[in-house]
Amino acid sequence: MICLENLSKNYAKSDVFAVDHIDLHVKRGEVFGFIGPNGAGKTTTIKMLTGILPPTEGNIFIDGVDLRKDPVAAKSRMGYAPDSSEVYDRLTGIEYLNFIADIYGVSKTDRKERMEKYLKMFEIEKAVGSQIKSFSHGMKQKLTLTGVLIHDPMVWIMDEPMVGLDPRSAHLLKEEMRAHVEKGNTVFFSTHVLEVAEKLCDRIAIINKGKIIAVGTLDELRAGRDASLESLFLELTDKGEGYEG
């Protein structure tokens, strides 16, 4: 569903690669976790994956569609939740959601049904008539997530999606992520909360200093050891060693 080939990014006037020639294949029907230390290249990878940043080298395919050659078709297959909920403060919540639905050509019937579902789930249905500038950080995150899901994309790409959510909303989002992949879709998300990744993800990739140093199921990463994801993460990122399951 997601294929990264030799993907790399270095910024102007720097010889250091923020993302260093990585290869990654994320399958249909899996929740895929993407973890790493601060500055490891997670957000840069996600911004290339969603078309926000152009790669220095490499290719990106979403459901077989080349992001570089047909960006509209590729982006129509994905929904992206960034790590910061920066939305149009002067719009009301409902105006923002209709704006997003218009961009993706969502019918009035479908948008109404999905708005009702997610606004109720996130408990912000009474707030969407107000300007977004009056929303708390958590409310903005919930509104952003509703906008991400309003066109029912096959691929969910989320950068720290639990940040700002209350425990109930985080729990319900995790249930939605699992239900989404059970339909044959894909969820790709980054997180610093390793317990969430350990419990939720079917497979995990660890990135460190721009390189993928481990990919696999938790059992594959353990390689027969009785170890938590936290201990594996600390061991691998400290050594900088590579492993692929």
Side-chain angles (χ1 to χ4, degrees), residues 123-124 127-128 134-144 164:
E123 298 181 323
I124 56 171
V128 290
S134 68
F135 286 20
S136 67
H137 173 72
M139 290 169 66
K140 287 181 180 180
Q141 177 70 353
K142 292 174 180 181
L143 184 70
T144 298

Side-chain angles (χ1 to χ4, degrees), residues 98 101 105-116 150:
N98 278 312
V106 182
S107 70
K108 292 187 182 298
T109 300
D110 286 343
R111 75 176 66 182
K112 181 176 184 294
E113 178 182 326
R114 291 167 192 160
M115 282 184 198
E116 288 177 352
I150 203 166

